């Protein structure tokens, strides 16, 4: 299966931020979750993919073509869904579609209307009258109506109720059954990605921390819980980060076997969520949540 997106050594420098040597690949037929804290570089990366910003260095290929040289051709086959509605609020759904259809050679009103029926949207209703969930369904309907092969979604489920979120997640999985399509989803709702994403790319402070299959990420790390008194300067080196309080510690590790060897049955090991991993990797040190215990830990 060919790559739908290839990024190599991508760099973009601002006054107070640098997207630093970013590289990642996404194959056709897969969903990639793109996660990171606010300001980590997700939006900058997406804008560079869409050729909305000028890169300093590096390479971006979409459909195996340079995204600058073939910008217009590439955008014809990309469905882009923002986290907010940027359409004509005073126009109806139908009239918005008429305007947007002019930008795409392969626009299909049959496809668009089929999604309106699927989502229960009324084409005569004005965009300003739509709820947040309905606006997102409208945006996704537009994105899927011009034979797009690559969907880029920025917070598509943010602010939606659980029922609508579940409906959209099912739709994304349905779409990906067509193995020529790839989906990149940037979101803070990491629990959604655990359900549907084949790959996870985590960006932190402008650098890629990891980009690998979701199942590998969840199996690679472990949450360790135990009594704070078990910690010493040597065994603390086995952890990526530690949250310590007077009630015990919770830590992130990639050294499961060594943890079992050192701590025996005195600690509990649990499978982390993506949110656990992201939050604790963002700390990457001992977080002394109790000043009293902070002093005690440092003296162990």
């Amino acid at each position: 299966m060919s790559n739908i997106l290839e990024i190599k050594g991508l760099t973009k420098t601002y006054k107070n931020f640098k997207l630093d040597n970013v590289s990642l690949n996404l194959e056709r037929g897969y969903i990639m979750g793109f996660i990171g804290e606010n300001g980590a570089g997700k939006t900058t990366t997406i804008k560079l993919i869409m050729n909305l910003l000028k890169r300093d260095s590096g390479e971006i290929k979409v459909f195996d073509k340079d995204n600058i040289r073939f910008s217009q051709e590439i955008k014809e086959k990309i469905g882009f869904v923002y986290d907010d509605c940027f359409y004509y609020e005073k126009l109806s759904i139908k009239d918005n579609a008429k305007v947007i259809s002019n930008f795409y050679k392969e626009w299909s009103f049959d496809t668009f209307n089929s999604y309106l029926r699927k989502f229960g949207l009324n084409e005569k209703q004005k965009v300003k009258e739509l709820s947040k969930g309905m606006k997102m369904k409208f945006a996704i309907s537009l994105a899927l109506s011009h034979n797009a092969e690559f969907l880029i979604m920025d917070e598509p489920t943010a602010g939606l109720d659980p029922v609508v979120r579940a409906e959209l997640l099912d739709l994304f999985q349905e779409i990906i059954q067509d193995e020529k399509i790839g989906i990149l989803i940037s979101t803070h709702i990491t629990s959604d990605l655990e359900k549907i994403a084949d790959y996870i790319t985590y960006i932190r402070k402008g650098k890629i921390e990891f980009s690998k299959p979701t199942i590998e990420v969840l199996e690679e790390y472990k949450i360790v819980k135990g009594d704070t008194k078990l910690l010493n300067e040597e065994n603390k080196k086995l952890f990526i980060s530690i949250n310590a309080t007077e009630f015990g510690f919770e830590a992130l590790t990639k050294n499961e076997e060594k943890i079992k060897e050192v701590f025996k049955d005195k600690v509990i090991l649990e499978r982390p969520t993506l949110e656990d991993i992201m939050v604790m990797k963002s700390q990457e040190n001992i977080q002394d949540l109790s000043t009293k215990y902070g002093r005690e830990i440092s003296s162990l």
Side-chain angles (χ1 to χ4, degrees), residues 283-298:
Q283 299 166 353
E284 289 202 350
N285 55 21
I286 296 178
Q287 300 295 310
D288 298 325
L289 303 184
S290 163
T291 302
K292 173 178 179 294
Y293 263 71
R295 288 196 295 270
E296 292 183 3
I297 291 173
S298 63

Side-chain angles (χ1 to χ4, degrees), residues 45-100:
T45 302
I46 289 173
K47 286 183 177 180
L48 287 165
I49 293 170
M50 294 294 294
N51 195 25
L52 299 176
L53 291 175
K54 183 179 179 181
R55 60 185 183 246
D56 296 338
S57 61
E59 180 181 39
I60 301 174
K61 287 186 177 181
V62 183
F63 313 122
D64 204 32
K65 295 182 178 181
D66 181 83
N67 78 315
I68 295 177
R69 288 181 58 202
F70 299 94
S71 180
Q72 188 56 46
E73 180 182 337
I74 287 170
K75 287 178 180 178
E76 283 278 345
K77 296 183 179 180
I78 291 180
F80 197 9
V81 178
Y82 299 86
D83 62 340
D84 202 354
C85 184
F86 291 95
Y87 304 109
Y88 300 99
E89 293 274 323
K90 295 182 179 181
L91 295 183
S92 68
I93 286 176
K94 181 179 181 179
D95 288 339
N96 264 278
K98 286 180 178 179
V99 173
I100 293 166

Side-chain angles (χ1 to χ4, degrees), residues 161-176:
D161 67 62
V163 174
V164 176
R165 280 172 51 205
E167 184 180 357
L168 293 183
L169 295 181
D170 287 343
L171 174 65
F172 299 156
Q173 288 186 305
E174 179 183 321
I175 292 169
I176 214 67

